[in-house]
Amino acid sequence: MAEGTSAGSAVVKKYFVLIAYDVEAWAAATDEQRSAWHEDHSVFHRTVGEHLLYGEALDGPETATTLRHEGGEVMLTDGPFAETVETIGGFYVVQAADLDQVSGWCALLPDCYSLEIRPCIEIDVPV
């Protein structure tokens, strides 16, 4: 179903789900815990089905590059934006009728994550 179309009376929107996790907790996890977390993702995928548009796991924070504009210059630095134990681990883009539906699906993901859910907006950028 295309974005902005109706499913019954509900308008379908895209939502971005940002997944953050505690690096130290992940490193300390057992193989069984990691397997359980991966199974939670499988349940999420099966439940969301065709409403899951895209998702990726991201490599560790040590591989991040930050780009900033400072005084008219482009500055590239190694590492994430902030020194923190928690880092971005991945994301999903889903289509849903509303935030309640997305929140319900996201409740299936591992409880070791912090999740940030934002509606997507469309911006026309000339190419």
Side-chain angles (χ1 to χ4, degrees), residues 37-89:
W37 294 336
H38 289 145
E39 178 55 27
D40 289 343
H41 279 277
S42 294
V43 171
F44 174 82
H45 283 222
R46 289 191 300 270
T47 302
V48 175
E50 67 182 13
H51 298 281
L52 175 59
L53 300 178
Y54 194 74
E56 290 287 346
L58 301 177
D59 207 342
E62 70 280 0
T63 67
T65 300
T66 300
L67 185 150
R68 288 192 173 94
H69 294 271
E70 294 182 7
E73 299 288 325
V74 175
M75 309 293 290
L76 289 176
T77 58
D78 291 340
F81 289 101
E83 288 292 326
T84 178
V85 173
E86 194 168 74
T87 191
I88 299 168

